[in-house]
Amino acid sequence: MIEISNLCKSFTLHNQGAAVIPVMTNAALSVAHGECVGLIGASGAGKSTLMRMVWGNYLAASGLIRVGTLDVASAAPRQIIRLRRETLGYVSQFLRVVPRVPTLDVVAEPLLNLGIDSVQARSRAAELLARLNIPERLWALSPTTFSGGEQQRVNIARGFAHSYPALLLDEPTASLDAVNREVVLSLIEEAKARGAAILGIFHDEAARARVCGRLVDVRDFTPKAAA
Amino acid sequence: MTALFQLDDRPLLSVKGLTKHYGSRIGCADVSFDLFPGEVLGIVGESGSGKSTLLSCLAGHMTPDQGQVIFRTTDGPRDTVTMAEAERRRMARTDWAFVHQNPRDGLRMGVSAGGNVGERLMAIGGRHYGDIRAKAIDWLGRVEIAADRIDDRPRAFSGGMQQRLQIARNLVTGPRLVFMDEPTGGLDVSVQARLLDLLRGLVREMGLSAIIVTHDLAVVRLLADRLMVMKGGHVVEQGLTDQVLDDPQHSYTQLLVSSVLQV
């Protein structure tokens, strides 16, 4: 479902003496349906960079990033927009939403964007928020004022609202208590069971061991000169 | 490349080589892009970068020196630059809408709120008073203006309400393409957020395409699918909004993104 080969990336900092920083060479990995692959490597080794290239907000210098039938590395913006709406989900570490929009609508939005009617979309959102132990009295409020752990759970609910065939998870259990961590791990297991291909970053080693079938060390893709 | 053929491949708006000079100075130069149905395109750049000139040329408020602005009308693609003035005006009232930064430029300040909305309907042939008033009340509700304010004049409204009224007036005729010039400029941040949410909902429900000129990067991140960065009349970078903001390639975009104060 996700297939990466010969992927390279460098950053050019035009306003800092046009410094060119190579960050990745010849990255390669694949994630099949129903599989969860974990990215490992020290902080700064390029786990998030790789994930962002798959999401399409970092441009690849060269190489191939196939998600389903689309090569994200060479796709037009509107093809990526469509991929994100229908095929590829992303749970980032940060919640980025229009201020003042109620939590229930934030979670229902990916479904509304797919043309699902609002009653059905909100009921799916409510189900996920309840499962992730966000108290119902908070659903009508904007998540921008929530605690870090609550915001993360809202982000997870949003990422799991639609049954994406492929999912990117950036530390989904980072600031959660034991109960909610368990809920998130079962959501991941259920997504695998329905055939989703998942690429994840987990600093939580026990969580990683439980959900990841394989690990990929991104240090193998770190350019030698910079290492 | 199979995914490509599943999309509606025909752009709603196709802009080619659009150029406008003010004497020897460049307004905008050689701008080309396609806008597809349901897409929101943001145009950012500092004051004087040519973004407002570009918007005026696109919307037919100004005649470009060169280039084409091809709009897919119900009768097929037409170049709106060379189209007869009367025809372009009709399009501006039906398929197109223009939301000005200052609501005073887009509203009739001496006419009631209901009249402002109803006027657009009458301009395209609406005649039944009851229908027009009912539709006006419906639209005031959609932009969160209470029905009991329908007979008040816009001058009695706050800035945020005036801007929402301007949006209602523009969208009541069900346009397919909306041009917006700094739609949230001049509003305080809490009102901005509400307006952003409203615009996002309307774009989704009506399948609108929109072109939004702004200097506010936070606004485009939340509202635009795609982004175009202008400097000195030229487009220096364009792409997916979060790609341009998170991994800017051009030196000017890098400067622009790194200059934003974090709250």
Side-chain angles (χ1 to χ4, degrees), chain A residues 80-194:
Chain A
I80 298 180
I81 292 163
R82 184 182 172 134
L83 182 83
R84 290 177 180 181
R85 190 167 57 223
E86 297 170 0
T87 311
L88 182 64
Y90 180 33
V91 176
S92 82
Q93 295 186 67
F94 310 100
L95 183 71
R96 206 167 234 150
V97 294
V98 177
R100 299 181 54 169
V101 176
T103 297
L104 193 67
D105 292 352
V106 165
V107 176
E109 195 185 19
L111 296 171
L112 296 175
N113 289 341
L114 281 162
I116 290 168
D117 80 50
S118 67
V119 175
Q120 206 185 328
R122 288 198 173 85
S123 103
R124 170 74 181 146
E127 185 192 312
L128 278 161
L129 287 169
R131 206 171 151 192
L132 285 155
N133 302 301
I134 302 286
E136 195 169 342
R137 63 189 159 78
L138 299 182
W139 296 358
L141 307 176
S142 164
T144 46
T145 55
F146 291 5
S147 74
E150 283 166 342
Q151 289 198 4
Q152 187 174 19
R153 280 179 278 149
V154 171
N155 228 359
I156 290 164
R158 187 179 154 91
F160 281 87
H162 170 51
S163 305
Y164 296 101
L167 259 178
L168 305 172
L169 305 176
D170 192 353
E171 296 213 49
T173 58
S175 45
L176 300 183
D177 57 48
V179 174
N180 286 308
R181 177 175 168 277
E182 186 56 37
V183 175
V184 173
L185 292 177
S186 22
L187 281 170
I188 297 172
E189 284 166 340
E190 287 162 27
K192 280 168 67 182
R194 65 167 165 78

Side-chain angles (χ1 to χ4, degrees), chain B residues 35-215:
Chain B
L35 183 74
F36 292 86
E39 268 186 354
V40 178
L41 173 72
I43 303 176
V44 296
E46 60 200 0
S47 304
S49 61
K51 54 193 198 302
S52 296
T53 298
L54 174 60
L55 196 71
S56 297
C57 288
L58 293 174
H61 296 171
M62 213 182 254
T63 309
D65 301 332
Q66 277 169 46
Q68 296 175 305
V69 179
I70 299 164
F71 180 71
R72 198 169 97 205
T73 68
T74 41
D75 304 323
R78 296 284 312 278
D79 184 354
T80 63
V81 175
T82 54
M83 157 186 288
E85 179 64 23
E87 203 181 351
R88 189 162 53 233
R89 284 193 179 189
R90 178 152 19 89
M91 208 161 60
R93 287 196 301 263
T94 54
D95 276 345
W96 288 8
F98 196 104
V99 176
H100 296 266
Q101 173 173 10
N102 188 339
R104 284 163 194 278
D105 297 330
L107 289 173
R108 295 230 290 159
M109 299 306 282
V111 173
S112 71
N116 262 288
V117 178
E119 196 176 49
R120 264 260 317 184
L121 288 169
M122 287 191 280
I124 58 162
R127 288 294 172 265
H128 187 280
Y129 177 78
D131 289 350
I132 290 173
R133 191 170 169 94
K135 210 160 177 188
I137 291 175
D138 173 47
W139 266 95
L140 291 178
R142 288 216 224 177
V143 298
E144 301 170 34
I145 295 175
D148 63 8
R149 303 296 301 269
I150 188 170
D151 296 318
D152 292 349
R153 297 192 176 170
R155 98 166 41 93
F157 288 0
S158 67
M161 274 174 85
Q162 288 181 1
Q163 195 56 298
R164 295 201 301 277
L165 179 62
Q166 192 193 179
I167 288 167
R169 174 181 161 97
N170 270 283
L171 297 188
V172 67
T173 51
R176 293 192 291 152
L177 175 60
V178 185
F179 300 99
M180 300 192 204
D181 187 8
E182 301 274 10
T184 60
L187 299 177
D188 63 70
V189 284
S190 62
V191 179
Q192 260 188 30
R194 187 163 164 200
L195 197 67
L196 279 177
D197 181 37
L198 173 72
L199 287 173
R200 267 163 67 111
L202 291 171
V203 164
R204 183 172 61 220
E205 286 155 25
M206 302 176 70
L208 285 176
S209 300
I211 298 178
I212 297 182
V213 161
T214 179
H215 61 263

Side-chain angles (χ1 to χ4, degrees), chain A residues 9-78:
Chain A
K9 171 76 187 161
S10 58
F11 291 106
T12 306
L13 308 177
H14 292 289
N15 301 305
Q16 294 177 50
V20 178
I21 304 169
V23 292
M24 196 164 289
T25 47
N26 297 321
L29 64 84
S30 67
V31 188
H33 288 285
E35 190 185 26
C36 178
V37 172
L39 295 177
I40 55 168
S43 185
K47 302 184 294 294
S48 297
T49 298
L50 183 57
M51 193 100 108
R52 286 177 190 152
M53 281 194 278
V54 179
W55 182 239
N57 62 328
Y58 277 14
L59 275 184
S62 61
L64 200 78
I65 308 168
R66 198 176 55 74
V67 180
T69 53
L70 188 70
D71 174 20
V72 175
S74 64
R78 68 201 177 94

